[in-house]
Amino acid sequence: MALTTVWFALIAVLWCGYFLLEGFDFGVGLLLPVLGKDERERRLLINTIGPVWDGNEVWLLVAGGATFAAFPEWYATLFSGFYLPLLLIVVALILRGLAFEYRGKIDSPRWRRRWDAAIVGGSLVPSILWGVAFANIVRGVPLDAHHEYAGNLFTLLNPYALLGGLTTLSLFALHGAVFLALKTDGDIRHRAGALAWRLTVPAVALAAAFLLWTQLTHDDAWGWALSAAAAAALLAAVPAVRARREGWAFVATGATLVLAVAALFVTLFPDVMPTTLDGGASLTVTNAASSPYTLKVMTWVAACFTPIVLGYQSWSYWVFRRRLRVEHIPAAHQ
């Protein structure tokens, strides 16, 4: 297998991991004002992701770095053409991280409300815009013969991309609700489970419409197979959520996100950014790649350090695996 194909697959794996892990992070942030009735409950919700949220974002950093090193032409075109949406995502992630760190620094309800709004907004913006971005990558964008983006912001806000944004938003919210039902105990666990059940309808409808539209447009055999597997996983989540089998429901929603992202990358291959312009030139794994020597060195580095990172993150999840209750949160704000 060519190293260009290997690195395309590795980048796909990194994005699958990011959507799997950061997906429930975003979901918790989205549901903070819905499930957090008072300060103790809101602190409980934040504590469910407190030990892991920053580690989950490492997957995004590594995916971006790997794209820059393995496919610099793809990176350059993507970040110049999608500059504003990606800037909004970065700003949202920064504000969200600041909110986690600073909301408890001052014992003031007004102070905490403002940072809680930053958590919600910092979760909402990426949840929508990641779907918009990936939908546009798969659909194709106007690239000229020199691989320069020839569109504008409104080019990216097409119906297919907006459907992709609503799909990721609904799936992240469902994934987050299931995670909270799995991670908490007591009344908040039951409310999270009930909310997850209500979220299954829009998540199934939007995901089915988006994946069907994608495959009807591209008609890729492997894409159809992975899309069908993603749909099956999401449908399997429905009875698990209904029966309050949180573990199986979380596995099912996680598998849905992984399989859906994999379906998009498989459908995209061998392009990395197709063009929609007549006379334009698409970016592929061949013409967007770094030199063979660069890819070879990167492969050795990834082989050495990836198991270490995976082992450390797995250990972190194991250490913080226990359920949390409101009673674990001190009544007085610290």
Side-chain angles (χ1 to χ4, degrees), residues 26-43:
F26 290 144
V28 172
L30 291 168
L31 301 178
L32 183 65
V34 180
L35 291 175
K37 291 183 176 180
D38 54 35
E39 174 59 17
R40 290 181 74 185
E41 290 190 350
R42 287 189 289 271
R43 287 164 58 199

Side-chain angles (χ1 to χ4, degrees), residues 36-252:
K37 291 183 176 180
D38 54 35
E39 174 59 17
R40 290 181 74 185
E41 290 190 350
R42 287 189 289 271
R43 287 164 58 199
L44 173 67
L45 297 179
I46 293 171
N47 285 354
T48 61
I49 59 174
V52 298
W53 71 267
D54 48 355
N56 293 343
E57 290 192 352
V58 171
W59 289 77
L60 173 61
L61 298 176
V62 177
T67 304
F68 172 77
F71 301 101
E73 188 81 10
W74 183 15
Y75 183 93
T77 302
L78 177 64
F79 276 75
S80 60
F82 290 38
Y83 180 81
L84 184 56
L86 293 177
L87 176 63
L88 291 175
I89 290 174
V90 170
V91 171
L93 293 178
I94 291 172
L95 289 175
R96 182 170 171 267
L98 288 173
F100 286 140
E101 299 295 334
Y102 281 94
R103 76 178 300 277
K105 297 299 183 183
I106 297 178
D107 188 5
S108 165
R110 186 176 182 182
W111 171 270
R112 291 192 292 269
R113 282 197 302 270
R114 290 177 175 177
W115 286 118
D116 287 345
I119 292 174
V120 176
S123 302
L124 176 65
V125 171
S127 295
I128 296 174
L129 291 185
W130 279 132
V132 171
F134 272 90
N136 276 295
I137 292 173
V138 174
R139 172 182 177 268
V141 292
L143 300 180
D144 62 22
H146 302 288
H147 301 150
E148 296 290 337
Y149 180 72
N152 54 45
L153 175 62
F154 296 102
T155 305
L156 303 177
L157 301 180
N158 54 80
Y160 174 72
L162 293 175
L163 177 60
L166 292 176
T167 299
T168 51
L169 176 64
S170 64
L171 288 177
F172 288 170
L174 174 60
H175 197 39
V178 171
F179 172 79
L180 288 172
L182 176 66
K183 188 64 178 174
T184 60
D185 208 352
D187 179 62
I188 201 166
R189 172 188 177 185
H190 296 293
R191 284 191 278 123
L195 179 59
W197 171 246
R198 293 195 295 272
L199 290 171
T200 55
V201 174
V204 170
L206 290 168
F210 178 70
L211 290 174
L212 185 61
W213 190 342
T214 301
Q215 297 310 321
L216 287 175
T217 302
H218 294 84
D219 196 23
D220 181 87
W222 281 105
W224 274 110
L226 288 170
S227 295
L234 185 55
L235 291 175
V238 175
V241 169
R242 181 64 172 174
R244 301 297 172 89
R245 301 291 298 273
E246 293 100 347
W248 285 111
F250 185 74
V251 169

Side-chain angles (χ1 to χ4, degrees), residues 262-278:
L264 294 181
F265 273 91
V266 167
T267 301
L268 182 63
F269 185 81
D271 291 334
V272 294
M273 188 170 280
T275 183
T276 58
L277 285 181
D278 293 332

Side-chain angles (χ1 to χ4, degrees), residues 21 120 259 283:
L21 299 176
V120 176
L259 290 167
L283 284 170

